[in-house]
Structures are given as C-alpha cells and as structure tokens.
Amino acid sequence: MVGLYMRLSRLDDDVDEYKQVSNSVENQRRLLNEYLEESPDLRSEDVEEFIDDGYSGTNFQRPAFQRMLALIKKRVVTTVIVKDFSRFGRNYVECADYLEKLFPFLGTRFISVADNYDTGRTNEDRQMEVAMKNIVNSYYSQDLSRKVTTTLNMKREHGELFFNLPFGYVKDEKHPGKVLIDEEAAKIVRYVFSLACKGNRQCDIVRILNRENVPTILAYNKAHQVKGKDNRVEKSEFAAWTGKKVANILYNEFYAGTYVFQRRKRVVVGMKKSVRVENPTRIPNNHPAIVDMETFEKAQEVFSSKKPKCSSKRYPLRAKVFCGNCGYAMAYKDNIYDECYYYCTQARQTGKKVGCTEEHMPEEFLNARVFTQLKSWMMLLETACGNVDEAEQKRWEGLRILNDEAENLQAEFKAIQSKKVELYECYSDGQISKEDFAKDKEKLSTEIEFIRSELNKLHEKEAKLRKTRNRRKPELDYLMENVQLFENETRITCKMADTFIEKVTVYDKWCIEIAWKCEDLVEKALDEAAEAEEVMSEVEVERMVG
C-alpha cells in the first residue's frame, strides 16, 4: 500500500475551524496524486491518505502520522510519499532516524516529490544533501518559534493580553490587547471574594451561591451573550457552582490587576513537555482590578488554609464515572477504614431535588459490574476480529481465483496469437486457399476479442475486490493484542480502563451504561467486512454464471 502523507502547520494562515481540510492540504493532495499517475510502478497500488491538518512539524506526535507508522511497522504501508521534507517533519534528528534507520530496516520506500528524492532508486550520493535540508528545516522552525515567542513577550510586557479572559472581563474593542470590566459579572466575582474573606469554606461558598441562584459562569455568558466568550451551555438545567469553579476565581491574581505570564516553558522547541518557571513575569496594575490586592491576599490566606486535600489515589475508573441525570462527573470518596464509593454532588451543591441518585455507588460493586461488561465486550471484539479475518481471507481467495483465471486467459490469448502466425505462414506457403485463410483468420480474431473482453471483466472484478480492503483491520489487530494481554485478568485495572473505556454513566445501581473507546472502529471494520462479503458474492455469482 502507498501512504500519501500531508501536513499543515497550525501557524499557516489558511487553517480554519470551519474548513475540514485547508487549501494547502488540497494542493499537496493534487501534487501527490499527479505524481502517482505518472508512476507506472505505483499506479496499481492501494492508496491511503494520512492528513495532519494544523500540527507542528517539530515533533512526530501527530495522530495521522502515528496511524501511518503503525501500518508501516505491520508492513501494510510499504511506500510513503510526501510533498517535501518539511511536510514530513522539521526535527532533523528524528527525520534522520526515520529516513536512515527505521524505513530502510522495514523496507519502506520513501519519496519526496519536490526534492526529487526516492529511496527506491540510487540516492547514496544525496544523503548529505538530505541531511542539510533537514537541518535547515529544523532551524527554520526553531527560529520561527523564537521570533513568535519574543514578539508576544514584548507585547505582554507592554500590557497586551493574548488569552481567553477570565470571567468578569471583556475585550476593549477600541484598544486591541486591552480589557474592560463587565460590571454585572464583576459583582459575582466580588461576592465570591467577600464570602472567602469572611472565613467560609469552599463547600460553604458553593452552597451559598447555589442557594441564592447566582448564575454560573457559562450560564451568565450565554444569557448576556458576552462577546468573545464561547457558546457552550451547562450540561444540566440544574447546573451549579462547584468547588473547582470557585477556586478558579479565588486563585486568579488577574482579578487584582496583576498580569502573570511565562509560568511554564517548553524544554525543547517542538516538545510538549514543559517545566514550571520559578519566577514568572509579573506586571502589577496592568489592567483594571475587580478586587484590590488587600482583598485578594486576605482571601488567599483564609481560603488556602481551608483548601481540602485531593486524593492522589490512582483508581481504575478515575474521571470516567458520570451521573446519568445531570451529566456531571461523580465525586470519589476515598475512605481508609471503610469502603470507597462514588456519589453525585449536584443535589448537595444545589440544595434542590434535581433527580440525581442520592445513593452511594460502592467502588468494588461498580468495578465488578464494569469488569463483567468489559469481558463481554472483549469476547465481542474477538468475534468481530474473527469475522473481519474471515472476510479478508475470502477476499484474498477471490483475488487468487481471478488471477488464475486471468493467467489462463492470457495463455489462451498467446496460443491463438500463435495460431494466427501459423495460419499466415500456411497461406504464404500456398498450403491453404485465400477463402479458407480469411475464414479461419476471422474465427481466430473473434476468439481474441472475446478473450480481451473477458480479461477486461476480470480486471474490473479485481479492482472492485481490491477497493474492499478492510482499512480498519490493522487497528483492530492492535486492539486484539491488548485483549490478549488482559485475558487472564480477574479484576479491572487502570490500564484496562484506560485502553477500553471512554465513559461510565450511572443512573442507579442496576442501570449502568458504558461507552467503549473503540466502538466506532469495530462497527466500521464490520461494515467493511460486510461490504467485502457482498462484493465477493457478486463476483462469485458472475464467475459461476460465466
């Protein structure tokens, strides 16, 4: 299979959330397809596109590239074609590892169209040129990143703001980079600080806000159509203030007029890993303050001493259990001397009967229920994988049969061609009359046309079968490797939950729904297997009739 890899950086101008694929990607696609059309040795291969639209080239942690790499390692993708080296990547060390070590080891052919580079041909004398291009691409990306960062930092130092504003602020349309106070929202912020300064605990502040029906941040922005804010809505009509929402306000020094930036920095340009900066840049009195610094510091002193300790326990269903009524994540109670359990906090926080279950869901009970369903899901995966394998085997058998028939017809074609030559020689030697020669020649020509027609039909059937290749099979095989890895487990583990479970929705003890991470993958794989079976049936019927 040929893999066409296309990438567009997030810094390119034509990346737009309303466009599924940018014009730049379209240009790359057109160039690569034109190259395929002009390459007879690649034209008949199966082709798959891998597109990373809006991803940096400074690292290879891109979804489409990783999916292509998995297929390369399984020897499914044997040829990779890119527009140029910069589309493949801008990290010259990693690029060299792929081009000089991994791809040659796996026997993968690599083609860069614009660079006129093809490892399927002799390129030993161009290795230095390739290395230099990768180095230039790498340093270009690093230089661009430094310039962008330097420019943004200079603007920040002059007080310009480049991030989503906290609740209570709106952008100043007349002065880009400046902010204004939304006075109505600011009243809510000041109220939260005043409650904290009076010594209220986090849970007390939450109960007071919900009891007094103070609108949540999302509800306020939606109701007032605050410009520049997102249009998300709360998950439930009984949406409430939570401890996290309160903490996000009380710990944000922005409300005191201080702009704090450069809290973290990346270890290396292009890497996601970052480290905390001990002394971030702080600009006091940068913008209008909603609360004075004295109030902010008093709230920190009171609130920090009452901040509840968060559990650091790594339990299997962490951040995966949600209430079936309100849609919010259920809290986890970690008990040392008693059983641990999940519970919905909505009724407690809102002080209202909101329809959520008030009973506690014991962790061991929920884990056992989920594990039972997970085992059933793993059995379903095995069945699905078996069906896909069977369909693929039938497809390959169909291709083999068509190939054998094509070879037989080719042999008949050559035999008839030889007969035509012999017939002409007999006529030239005077062994047969002109009438007999014309009659026999017409008969042989008719047979040749018939064979050509049959060969064309076989080629059409072959192309039809090749198009039904199950594109999800490599991913399904990888999933089955995980199934086999966990088949001897007797209880759910963190790794099992992270691999297979997307979300657990709890209505009550006896009504639990599980959303599986790979559900769409299995459905698509089975659909492709059914499509292959259908095409195989058509081809088989036509062959029997023929």
Side-chain angles (χ1 to χ4, degrees):
M1 181 198 296
V2 176
L4 304 183
Y5 182 72
M6 289 156 269
R7 182 186 67 81
L8 180 68
S9 171
R10 63 170 66 90
L11 294 178
D12 287 311
D13 295 334
D14 55 352
V15 177
D16 192 310
E17 62 178 331
Y18 300 108
K19 292 189 290 183
Q20 293 182 351
V21 182
S22 69
N23 291 331
S24 179
V25 170
E26 290 294 340
N27 290 335
Q28 292 179 58
R29 177 185 288 119
R30 182 166 56 252
L31 178 68
L32 299 185
N33 285 327
E34 287 175 358
Y35 181 85
L36 278 178
E37 287 298 319
E38 297 171 0
S39 304
D41 56 330
L42 299 173
R43 198 181 303 153
S44 59
E45 293 282 338
D46 291 332
V47 177
E48 177 119 7
E49 292 183 350
F50 302 89
I51 303 171
D52 282 317
D53 199 350
Y55 287 86
S56 170
T58 53
N59 68 78
F60 286 87
Q61 299 306 312
R62 315 169 212 144
F65 182 85
Q66 290 300 319
R67 184 164 63 89
M68 181 179 72
L69 185 60
L71 297 179
I72 289 173
K73 291 179 179 179
K74 292 179 179 293
R75 307 299 201 275
V76 176
V77 172
T78 56
T79 302
V80 176
I81 307 179
V82 298
K83 174 180 174 284
D84 55 45
F85 289 120
S86 68
R87 297 302 93 195
F88 182 68
R90 291 188 181 275
N91 185 317
Y92 75 92
V93 175
E94 290 191 72
C95 282
D97 285 340
Y98 282 109
L99 299 182
E100 298 175 14
K101 297 178 182 179
L102 183 62
F103 285 179
F105 175 76
L106 296 174
T108 305
R109 182 180 176 185
F110 180 82
I111 300 171
S112 176
V113 178
D115 299 300
N116 194 27
Y117 180 82
D118 184 354
T119 57
R121 300 167 187 168
T122 305
N123 285 286
E124 290 80 0
D125 57 338
R126 299 194 60 198
Q127 293 304 318
M128 181 61 71
E129 177 189 346
V130 172
M132 290 303 298
K133 283 189 176 183
N134 286 330
I135 291 174
V136 170
N137 288 331
S138 178
Y139 276 98
Y140 167 80
S141 180
Q142 293 180 31
D143 183 58
L144 178 63
S145 177
R146 279 192 291 268
K147 288 178 179 177
V148 170
T149 302
T150 301
T151 302
L152 290 177
N153 285 339
M154 288 177 60
K155 291 185 176 183
R156 289 187 181 111
E157 289 170 1
H158 286 85
E160 295 187 41
L161 306 173
F162 303 95
F163 58 92
N164 291 327
L165 297 177
F167 177 64
Y169 287 97
V170 293
K171 293 181 180 179
D172 186 347
E173 299 297 332
K174 296 180 180 179
H175 302 91
K178 301 298 181 180
V179 298
L180 299 173
I181 295 177
D182 180 351
E183 286 299 336
E184 189 171 349
K187 291 179 183 178
I188 299 175
V189 175
R190 294 188 185 105
Y191 186 42
V192 172
F193 274 96
S194 67
L195 291 173
C197 290
K198 291 177 182 177
N200 289 291
R201 297 176 301 169
Q202 178 176 306
C203 58
D204 294 330
I205 297 174
V206 169
R207 289 195 185 98
I208 293 171
L209 294 174
N210 288 322
R211 185 173 63 245
E212 296 179 359
N213 294 318
V214 176
T216 61
I217 295 174
L218 286 179
Y220 177 90
N221 291 336
K222 186 71 174 178
H224 292 77
Q225 297 181 343
V226 180
K227 191 173 182 180
K229 302 295 183 179
D230 56 47
N231 293 320
R232 293 177 299 164
V233 294
E234 295 283 11
K235 298 177 182 178
S236 168
E237 61 178 311
F238 301 108
W241 284 90
T242 62
K244 184 178 180 180
K245 294 175 182 177
V246 170
N248 286 341
I249 290 177
L250 292 175
Y251 284 117
N252 195 342
E253 199 171 350
F254 196 88
Y255 289 116
T258 301
Y259 183 25
V260 184
F261 60 95
Q262 287 186 322
R263 297 173 186 269
R264 304 185 67 86
K265 68 176 182 179
R266 294 190 184 279
V267 178
V268 178
V269 174
M271 289 183 62
K272 291 185 177 180
K273 185 177 180 180
S274 62
V275 294
R276 186 183 296 276
V277 177
E278 292 185 5
N279 298 308
T281 304
R282 303 166 63 88
I283 306 178
N285 303 317
N286 177 74
H287 52 271
I290 291 179
V291 297
D292 56 59
M293 183 56 71
E294 183 181 353
T295 301
F296 179 81
E297 291 177 348
K298 184 178 180 181
Q300 301 308 299
E301 182 181 347
V302 175
F303 191 67
S304 298
S305 63
K306 299 178 180 296
K307 183 180 178 182
K309 293 183 179 180
C310 297
S311 172
S312 59
K313 178 181 175 182
R314 183 74 172 93
Y315 45 96
L317 298 179
R318 183 169 185 165
K320 295 182 183 294
V321 183
F322 292 81
C323 174
N325 179 66
C326 64
Y328 283 91
M330 297 182 72
Y332 177 77
K333 180 63 175 177
D334 185 11
N335 290 322
I336 300 177
Y337 303 107
D338 199 357
E339 67 176 2
C340 303
Y341 58 85
Y342 297 90
Y343 64 99
C344 183
T345 61
Q346 285 299 94
R348 182 182 304 179
Q349 291 176 340
T350 60
K352 304 174 183 177
K353 293 290 183 180
V354 295
C356 302
T357 178
E358 296 184 12
E359 63 179 342
H360 294 164
M361 176 64 68
E363 181 186 21
E364 289 299 324
F365 178 82
L366 182 61
N367 285 352
R369 292 289 307 275
V370 172
F371 181 74
T372 301
Q373 294 191 43
L374 178 56
K375 280 292 186 180
S376 300
W377 171 247
M378 292 166 76
M379 292 176 62
L380 177 63
L381 286 177
E382 291 180 355
T383 303
C385 196
N387 293 339
V388 171
D389 287 339
E390 184 179 353
E392 277 293 283
Q393 289 175 3
K394 289 182 179 179
R395 191 178 75 89
W396 282 111
E397 179 62 20
L399 289 172
R400 186 192 63 77
I401 292 172
L402 293 176
N403 184 63
D404 290 344
E405 291 184 359
E407 288 181 356
N408 292 335
L409 287 174
Q410 290 284 3
E412 290 182 28
F413 182 83
K414 291 180 180 179
I416 295 174
Q417 289 281 38
S418 299
K419 288 182 180 180
K420 286 187 72 175
V421 173
E422 292 175 2
L423 181 64
Y424 180 76
E425 291 175 350
C426 291
Y427 173 68
S428 299
D429 294 341
Q431 296 179 17
I432 57 175
S433 64
K434 183 177 181 180
E435 291 77 10
D436 291 338
F437 170 74
K439 181 180 178 181
D440 292 343
K441 179 183 176 182
E442 184 179 356
K443 182 179 178 181
L444 292 175
S445 297
T446 301
E447 292 179 5
I448 287 175
E449 288 302 317
F450 175 76
I451 291 175
R452 282 177 176 164
S453 174
E454 290 299 305
L455 280 172
N456 288 335
K457 291 180 181 178
L458 286 178
H459 290 154
E460 290 175 2
K461 294 177 185 177
E462 182 183 4
K464 199 172 182 179
L465 265 185
R466 287 191 180 278
K467 286 182 179 179
T468 61
R469 176 183 60 82
N470 202 310
R471 299 175 184 272
R472 313 292 169 181
K473 189 176 184 306
E475 297 172 77
L476 198 61
D477 290 341
Y478 177 74
L479 187 61
M480 278 305 302
E481 292 175 8
N482 286 321
V483 170
Q484 294 166 3
L485 182 66
F486 301 126
E487 62 183 358
N488 294 324
E489 295 286 353
T490 57
R491 58 188 301 164
I492 191 168
T493 64
C494 294
K495 194 169 183 180
M496 289 174 70
D498 291 341
T499 302
F500 296 106
I501 298 175
E502 184 71 37
K503 181 179 179 181
V504 178
T505 304
V506 177
Y507 295 92
D508 55 46
K509 279 189 176 181
W510 310 110
C511 186
I512 298 170
E513 293 180 357
I514 302 177
W516 308 103
K517 281 188 175 181
C518 310
E519 202 162 2
D520 290 344
L521 168 64
V522 176
E523 289 179 2
K524 289 176 182 177
L526 290 174
D527 289 342
E528 290 178 1
E531 182 184 352
E533 290 273 10
E534 184 178 346
V535 173
M536 265 296 300
S537 300
E538 293 177 6
V539 171
E540 185 68 19
V541 168
E542 291 176 6
R543 189 171 69 86
M544 293 176 62
V545 171

